[in-house]
Amino acid sequence: MDSVPALDEPLKKVLGPATAKVMAEHLGLHTVGDLLHHYPRRYEERGQLTHLADLPMDEHVTVVAQVADARLHTFASSRAPRGKGQRLEVTITDGSGRLQLVFFGAGVHKPHKELLPGTRAMFAGKVSVFNRRLQLAHPAYELLRGDAEETVETWAGALIPIYPATAKLESWKIGKALQTVLPSAQEAADPLPGPLREGRGLVTLPEALLKIHRPHTKADIEEARARLKWDEAFVLQVALARRRHADAQLPAVPRRPRPDGILAAFDGRLPFTLTEGQRKVSEEIFADLATDHPMHRLLQGEVGSGKTMVALRAMLAVVDAGGQAAMLAPTEVLAQQHHRSVTEMMGDLAQGGMLGGADDATKVVLLTGSMGAAARRQALLDLATGEAGIVIGTHALIEDKVQFHDLGLVVVDEQHRFGVEQRDALRGKGKQPPHLLVMTATPIPRTVAMTVFGDLETSVLDQLPAGRSPIASHVVPAADKPHFLARAWERVREEVEKGHQAYVVCPRIGDEEDGAKAKKKSPEDEAEKRPPLAVLDTAEQLARGPLAGLRVDVLHGRMPPDDKDAVMRRFAAGEVDVLVATTVIEVGVNVPNATAMVIMDADRFGVSQLHQLRGRVGRGSAPGLCLLVTEMPEASPARQRLNAVASTLDGFELSRIDLEQRREGDVLGQAQSGTRSSLRMLAVIDDEEVIAEAREEAARIVASDPDLERLPALRTALDALLDEEREQYLEKG
């Protein structure tokens, strides 16, 4: 094409540099196409617009009314001592009520000429009170005049689009800009293949854009939305389907366990039987490992469903086949914990090359940033020679110095804590791409799994292993009912008297550095909330007060790694009764004897975080207890959130609630970038059906035409979605 396609035309050329600059800076809109995809947030019916009788205070409003009266006053002020100050007062009416508009200083000249009695206009501004009367000071306005037909069509038509706007650019100015570019919508290339669109009764893209910006009826809006949702879901799913297709073309070394190898020896010694779910998921993983292209699997498991056991059996299968397996954990505490539990589970099978090691044994090494030089040198040597079949570590595993003999499997624990770059760096250490297993204990609703992790196959572990106990959860309203809090500490004492242990979780550490950060809060925050409770203060108060006489210790992220490990070991050995900690214990910490958890300021944590924390208790045969302490009033959204957590142990249900409250963020770039959402119409939770159907259609199309050669318009839409950053996000996913 010799000229720039209409939708790629820069807004600067079409709307002028001033408007284009505001649109680029405040709304992220650069081209005609960007503006056409800036959809109205809602629509006002003309009747709804014009009621001056019930204007809300302190809110930005848009009204259509007629000027009843306009008077220019002069006054003396510090700026204009000779009585040269000017104030224009305009009274407008719409039949239901009257409203005063006021303009000052140099701002009076234009409205004084234009807002003559009888003039109709659209006004927007913030409602305030002056002399006990409602007023708009310096409102923006748009006269309704000229071509009567055009005016009725644009402003006073049945449905007026209200756009996401900014203080610098009112909704109707965006509307006017859209009227300018709307004819270009006819040239929008339609990314949906014709048969798919017709088969689903969807309108064309140009028609959808016209109907979303200039609807005549509510049915127009519905038709447009249905179509635009399909676009977003489908283009996104095509991107993910192409990713899966490309992965399937990569070579990988098939890894099949030997019938009489280390995996068989390990299984033969298990003191319990695997759950049905663990067996089924293991079979899915072993089938993937046996293929000659890399596995990309997401393992979702409820807190305590035995994911580590499934991952360990996958790692042993790879060791059996002559390869090495690496497990990447988000924190040192968790890496040490995994290393301990894996070596305990394996026994002498983890003592490869040592006296007393079993015949099939391998070495299991730990690699973290805080290890001593000698231990680190030995670990690196064991990896390079292949002596160590399994390595468990933090991001220290990614460093350039770390060389593997033959990396066959990467297991990433708690995906949401790892950037895509780190996973990518670790995958790059294999001679050929290693198999990848991503584990998460944060249950993800099916639709989110299909979008955020759409390039991974998903396995779900939803059974708890036998012997796991139920957890009772209760909200403790400390402000309304202080005696409930006193009772909470009594319950902790009762658990300790029975020989059990407890956690107390606080949002903050409480040393000076932390305090300094807390001070940077805005005045509104300060007025509304006291600083969150801190580990160090709480531990001291409990040890002196309600838990006096019990062995209380603390754990938080800024302690030296050796100290953290020592505290965890003491707690695991039963030498500490109550551990007061930050969320450093949120993932993976396993102390079956801990039965009670008190979460202070529980309203400061997210839903999935509370669910994760709660999963630390009830890991043994005694029932678990989780108490959510809050000072929030009963009717507040925070209390409703806590009630939801207390009412169900179903992590999938909770993750749904969590997502509904947080909304989706940018589904494609969500792990890395805080950019504007690529989903404008699609709501990941509400549009489950659209997403599932789009995924099927996308897989079908990509299977028959991976490069989309027969669908150039779809390729163009894909390029627009996958700007460089998101392209990399998917590349590395």
Side-chain angles (χ1 to χ4, degrees):
M1 272 185 210
D2 46 8
S3 64
V4 177
L7 269 61
D8 294 338
E9 191 81 52
L11 288 173
K12 193 158 56 176
K13 283 192 173 172
V14 187
L15 304 174
T19 306
K21 185 169 186 255
V22 177
M23 286 197 169
E25 285 176 8
H26 295 275
L27 296 168
L29 308 175
H30 303 277
T31 64
V32 168
D34 291 345
L35 181 54
L36 285 171
H37 288 290
H38 185 72
Y39 307 133
R41 178 186 291 135
R42 59 192 166 87
Y43 299 85
E44 289 283 18
E45 290 175 59
R46 186 173 159 207
Q48 288 176 315
L49 265 179
T50 53
H51 282 293
L52 293 182
D54 35 72
L55 286 178
M57 267 302 294
D58 275 341
E59 277 191 31
H60 283 279
V61 295
T62 303
V63 296
V64 171
Q66 189 163 354
V67 177
D69 181 40
R71 295 176 188 209
L72 189 63
H73 301 274
T74 53
F75 60 90
S77 71
S78 56
R79 282 192 179 168
R82 294 201 185 90
K84 294 279 174 64
Q86 290 190 308
R87 180 174 79 247
L88 176 66
E89 287 177 4
V90 178
T91 307
I92 58 172
T93 176
D94 66 348
S96 75
R98 292 166 87 80
L99 180 65
Q100 183 103 30
L101 315 178
V102 60
F103 301 86
F104 292 101
V108 304
H109 304 306
K110 188 166 173 272
H112 188 221
K113 281 206 294 258
E114 294 182 337
L115 296 179
L116 304 171
T119 307
R120 276 172 58 72
M122 197 172 190
F123 302 92
K126 193 174 180 182
V127 182
S128 57
V129 169
F130 182 71
N131 279 346
R132 291 190 301 200
R133 287 167 69 190
L134 292 183
Q135 71 167 28
L136 298 182
H138 283 282
Y141 63 88
E142 180 68 28
L143 300 181
L144 300 178
R145 63 179 180 202
D147 176 355
E149 205 47 45
E150 217 275 338
T151 300
V152 167
E153 176 69 35
T154 311
W155 298 120
L159 293 161
I160 297 176
I162 303 295
Y163 290 92
T166 74
K168 295 261 166 56
L169 204 60
E170 293 86 3
S171 168
W172 71 70
K173 286 188 182 160
I174 297 171
K176 282 190 82 170
L178 266 151
Q179 297 305 328
T180 307
V181 302
L182 207 49
S184 307
Q186 294 301 342
E187 295 177 48
D190 201 324
L192 288 194
L196 187 160
R197 186 171 50 71
E198 286 148 23
R200 296 185 178 277
L202 298 168
V203 298
T204 63
L205 181 57
E207 192 180 337
L209 290 171
L210 283 170
K211 285 183 167 174
I212 202 81
H213 292 298
R214 212 183 237 186
H216 293 292
T217 62
K218 288 187 176 168
D220 283 352
I221 299 169
E222 286 316 304
E223 276 186 6
R225 279 187 171 151
R227 163 59 212 249
L228 295 167
K229 277 180 181 182
W230 247 95
D231 276 17
E232 286 179 10
F234 179 68
V235 175
L236 178 56
Q237 290 302 335
V238 167
L240 294 164
R242 290 185 74 197
R243 184 80 207 100
R244 289 194 299 276
H245 184 270
D247 282 340
Q249 313 308 309
L250 289 173
V253 180
R255 311 280 180 174
R256 294 183 184 85
R258 300 199 316 275
D260 55 349
I262 189 170
L263 176 62
F266 175 77
D267 282 352
R269 302 168 175 207
L270 279 179
F272 51 83
T273 52
L274 296 172
T275 64
E276 185 54 43
Q278 284 174 318
R279 272 205 300 278
K280 184 175 128 296
V281 169
S282 288
E283 276 159 24
E284 290 172 350
I285 291 171
F286 292 151
D288 283 356
L289 290 174
T291 61
D292 53 13
H293 57 82
M295 164 172 82
H296 284 91
R297 191 165 281 280
L298 173 71
L299 173 56
Q300 283 186 258
E302 269 292 12
V303 177
S305 56
K307 291 184 301 299
T308 311
M309 174 59 72
V310 170
L312 176 55
R313 293 183 73 235
M315 293 196 288
L316 293 174
V318 169
V319 172
D320 254 352
Q324 291 169 294
M327 185 186 238
L328 199 53
T331 63
E332 294 212 351
V333 167
L334 196 52
Q336 286 161 340
Q337 176 97 24
H338 276 319
H339 183 253
R340 253 200 314 276
S341 57
V342 164
T343 48
E344 279 165 17
M345 284 195 268
M346 287 175 64
D348 60 0
L349 290 171
Q351 294 170 5
M354 298 182 217
L355 275 175
D359 293 346
D360 290 308
T362 186
K363 244 190 191 180
V364 179
V365 301
L366 175 69
L367 190 64
T368 64
S370 64
M371 283 168 77
R376 186 180 175 75
R377 250 197 322 273
Q378 186 59 51
L380 290 172
L381 188 65
D382 289 341
L383 287 180
T385 59
E387 188 83 8
I390 294 178
V391 58
I392 295 168
T394 54
H395 52 268
L397 278 177
I398 297 163
E399 291 166 12
D400 293 344
K401 292 194 198 89
V402 181
Q403 299 296 325
F404 289 86
H405 180 254
D406 179 14
L407 180 61
L409 170 67
V410 174
V411 178
V412 179
D413 191 16
E414 285 306 313
Q415 140 74 19
H416 65 283
R417 305 245 174 154
F418 270 102
V420 174
E421 286 82 4
Q422 287 111 313
R423 277 197 279 158
D424 195 42
L426 193 52
R427 270 166 59 181
K429 289 187 177 290
K431 293 187 178 72
Q432 283 193 313
H435 299 281
L436 174 71
L437 180 65
V438 173
M439 299 197 298
T440 175
T442 308
I444 302 163
R446 177 169 159 261
T447 46
V448 182
M450 284 192 297
T451 44
V452 181
F453 298 109
D455 57 334
L456 302 177
E457 299 301 325
T458 305
S459 296
V460 178
L461 271 179
D462 47 12
Q463 270 173 295
L464 290 189
R468 273 303 171 88
S469 303
I471 306 169
S473 306
H474 303 284
V475 177
V476 177
D480 313 352
K481 299 178 176 160
H483 59 286
F484 275 37
L485 183 58
R487 176 72 189 118
W489 302 126
E490 281 170 26
R491 282 292 288 112
V492 170
R493 290 194 89 96
E494 286 164 16
E495 288 300 308
V496 173
E497 277 157 20
K498 289 183 201 161
H500 299 307
Q501 293 159 278
Y503 297 100
V504 176
V505 182
C506 302
R508 191 165 75 87
I509 297 172
D511 50 20
E512 287 59 43
E513 197 182 328
D514 211 69
K517 278 187 196 157
K519 280 180 197 145
K520 288 184 186 160
K521 285 214 171 93
S522 68
E524 298 90 272
D525 280 358
E526 284 301 348
E528 189 184 312
K529 295 178 173 178
R530 56 166 171 68
L533 290 171
V535 166
L536 302 177
D537 309 341
T538 304
E540 197 181 321
Q541 286 160 12
L542 291 175
R544 283 208 314 261
L547 303 184
L550 301 186
R551 297 168 299 175
V552 177
D553 211 336
V554 299
L555 179 70
H556 59 74
R558 272 211 291 278
M559 288 164 66
D562 290 350
D563 294 1
K564 278 193 270 197
D565 198 39
V567 171
M568 275 318 299
R569 280 177 192 276
R570 286 203 300 277
F571 189 61
E575 294 161 20
V576 172
D577 298 320
V578 179
L579 185 62
V580 184
T582 55
T583 53
V584 73
I585 61 154
E586 178 186 350
V587 286
V589 172
N590 185 24
V591 179
N593 191 43
T595 53
M597 175 176 283
V598 181
I599 303 179
M600 308 303 291
D601 281 343
D603 47 274
R604 315 264 176 143
F605 298 97
V607 170
S608 5
Q609 207 172 21
L610 291 169
H611 183 58
Q612 289 277 355
L613 287 166
R614 168 171 65 183
R616 302 299 118 219
V617 296
R619 299 177 81 86
S621 52
L625 172 69
C626 178
L627 301 174
L628 307 167
V629 179
T630 178
E631 293 186 357
M632 285 291 156
E634 195 161 352
S636 64
R639 270 288 276 283
Q640 288 163 8
R641 215 172 58 228
L642 296 181
N643 290 340
V645 174
S647 67
T648 178
L649 290 171
D650 180 342
F652 286 92
E653 178 53 33
L654 288 174
S655 67
R656 224 184 152 84
I657 293 168
D658 193 23
L659 196 72
E660 278 168 357
Q661 290 181 336
R662 288 186 296 118
R663 301 316 298 160
E664 289 82 11
D666 185 341
V667 167
L668 260 189
Q670 68 113 40
Q672 260 64 48
S673 67
T675 52
R676 214 158 45 96
S677 173
S678 60
L679 301 185
R680 296 183 178 90
M681 268 298 163
L682 197 69
V684 172
I685 283 206
D686 305 334
D687 298 319
E688 185 162 344
E689 255 171 63
V690 175
I691 292 168
E693 289 173 20
R695 183 179 165 100
E696 278 170 34
E697 292 278 11
R700 210 169 41 73
I701 281 166
V702 170
S704 67
D705 181 8
D707 293 329
L708 308 178
E709 283 169 2
R710 298 193 291 279
L711 299 165
L714 176 54
R715 266 224 315 271
T716 308
L718 209 54
D719 295 340
L721 173 75
L722 300 178
D723 56 35
E724 212 169 312
E725 179 180 17
R726 296 201 184 107
E727 181 73 71
Q728 285 173 353
Y729 175 79
L730 283 184
E731 277 303 316
K732 293 175 181 173

